[in-house]
Amino acid sequence: MKHMNTRRVGLAALAFAAFGAFAAPATAQTPPIKVKVFIAAMFEIGQNTGDRAGEFQHWYERYWKASQPHEVKGALRPVHCNGDGVCGAVLGMGKVNSSSSMQAILLDPAYDFSQAYFVLSGVAGTPPSRGTIGDVSWG
C-alpha cells in the first residue's frame, strides 16, 4: 500500500509540474510594432536586392535594406519593418496567395495595424477592349 501512495504522489507531482510549465506566466513580451504604412507587393522576380527588380525590390532597397526579416506563419515571404513604422512584404500573386498572406500578417500579434495606411504595389493586365499597353489604373 505504501508503494501505491508513493507512486500516486509521484504522478501527482509530475502532473503539477507539467501543468505549471503550461500555466507559468509569460516572460515580458515586446510590444507590437506600430505600423504607420504597410506596402504590399504581389511578387519579386528574384532576390530583394542586387538583381532584376520586381515589384518589391525598389521599396526594399529604399526602406528595409538594413532590416531583419520577420517570418509570419502563413505568409508567403517575411515582413520587413524599419524604425519609422514603414513595413512591407511580398504577398504572392493571385487572390489566394495574396489574401492568405495578408490575413496571416494582419493577425500576427507582433504588429499593430490600428492606424496604418496600406499601399498595394503591383502590375496587372487588362483586356485590349478596356485598355492599351502602358495604361495606368488607380484603384
Side-chain angles (χ1 to χ4, degrees):
M1 188 73 168
K2 185 174 184 178
H3 178 59
M4 282 297 266
N5 286 340
T6 306
R7 181 178 285 168
R8 283 184 189 159
V9 170
L11 287 173
L14 183 61
F16 282 120
F19 178 74
F22 292 111
T27 58
Q29 292 183 353
T30 329
I33 296 169
K34 187 106 174 117
V35 180
K36 293 179 183 174
V37 178
F38 187 84
I39 299 165
M42 301 304 123
F43 79 95
E44 181 53 52
I45 294 170
Q47 301 300 313
N48 288 340
T49 188
D51 59 3
R52 185 171 167 219
E55 295 175 349
F56 189 68
Q57 185 165 326
H58 294 298
W59 294 103
Y60 177 83
E61 290 174 344
R62 171 70 170 92
Y63 293 103
W64 308 296
K65 202 168 185 179
S67 72
Q68 293 295 318
H70 175 250
E71 296 290 333
V72 174
K73 186 177 180 177
L76 181 70
R77 303 272 297 271
V79 174
H80 299 272
C81 293
N82 65 18
D84 295 328
V86 179
C87 300
V90 175
L91 301 180
M93 293 186 291
K95 295 174 191 173
V96 173
N97 286 333
S98 60
S99 61
S100 60
S101 288
M102 194 70 233
Q103 181 179 16
I105 293 166
L106 288 171
L107 293 174
D108 191 318
Y111 304 102
D112 176 3
F113 290 102
S114 62
Q115 296 181 328
Y117 289 93
F118 294 86
V119 176
L120 302 178
S121 171
V123 298
T126 187
S129 63
R130 300 248 173 169
T132 63
I133 294 176
D135 268 2
V136 175
S137 299
W138 297 95

